[in-house]
Amino acid sequence: YTITGEQLQAFRQRLVWEEKSPATIEKYLRDAADFTAWLDGRAASKAAAGAWKAALLEAKLAPATINVKLAAASINAMLSALNSLLAYLDLNDCRVKFLKIQRRLFRDDSRELTRPEYLRLLETARTQGRERLALLLETICGTGIRVSEVRYVTVEAVYRGRAEISLKGKIRTILLPGKLCRKLLKYARK
């Protein structure tokens, strides 16, 4: 079964119909196109999909790659796109299994910001006259929100004491500490 450019365009329309985000659509199409290019005119089959998975694993886990977990996660993202394409083409028997990733129970402490580091960042922002940056740091560190979620911390949200975050089809509520709300309102008035 040879995959054509027209089928890839129809696959794009299917992803739009499924309400995938623009970034997901772009990624899935890029990965589907990579698989099609890798096939180089050969038929799509279970063996071909498995060989592509093995080729990805070999390329991503070359000696230059340090983080094996990250490499496996990116391969799984590519396999997800491939499996979605194969399902769309009604080639479910050609789908491949994901790589198994050992999850850590605890995060690596070296990746966490310590309190002295946090205070040093705040002090540096303030001494440089960057009050907005200091408040941004306080908001992210005080609430645990992601950088992509900062836009939901509006004046209205500060008055309510909580931000309603709606991303990727999920809605969650973030409580804003009273002291932070007072600082943000003072900045907004200024």
Side-chain angles (χ1 to χ4, degrees), residues 64-161:
T65 302
I66 295 171
N67 192 336
V68 174
K69 183 178 172 184
L70 184 62
S74 69
I75 291 171
N76 280 345
M78 296 174 87
L79 295 178
S80 179
L82 172 64
N83 284 340
S84 183
L85 172 67
L86 294 172
Y88 169 72
L89 296 174
D90 200 27
L91 296 173
N92 287 309
D93 57 329
C94 296
R95 296 174 66 182
V96 292
K97 291 185 178 179
F98 296 112
L99 299 173
K100 293 193 185 331
I101 302 173
Q102 180 75 33
R103 300 278 181 209
R104 290 187 197 163
L105 294 178
F106 300 99
R107 270 182 277 165
D108 185 7
D109 288 343
S110 68
R111 296 193 67 204
E112 289 188 15
L113 190 63
T114 64
R115 183 155 182 81
E117 290 169 333
Y118 165 68
L119 294 173
R120 201 166 47 244
L121 282 172
L122 280 180
E123 184 59 32
T124 301
R126 288 190 182 119
T127 57
Q128 291 181 357
R130 299 181 70 185
E131 184 181 1
R132 182 177 174 185
L133 178 60
L135 286 171
L136 179 64
L137 285 167
E138 284 189 64
T139 303
I140 291 171
C141 294
T143 61
I145 65 172
R146 299 171 182 92
V147 172
S148 62
E149 298 171 338
V150 169
R151 64 184 167 150
Y152 293 95
V153 181
T154 62
V155 173
E156 292 81 15
V158 172
Y159 275 119
R160 286 192 313 266

Side-chain angles (χ1 to χ4, degrees), residues 1-20:
Y1 189 91
T2 306
I3 301 170
T4 66
E6 292 81 25
Q7 288 170 317
L8 290 177
Q9 286 308 310
F11 179 53
R12 172 192 289 275
Q13 293 307 313
R14 175 59 178 245
L15 295 172
V16 170
W17 181 81
E18 290 177 352
E19 298 181 13
K20 300 287 187 196

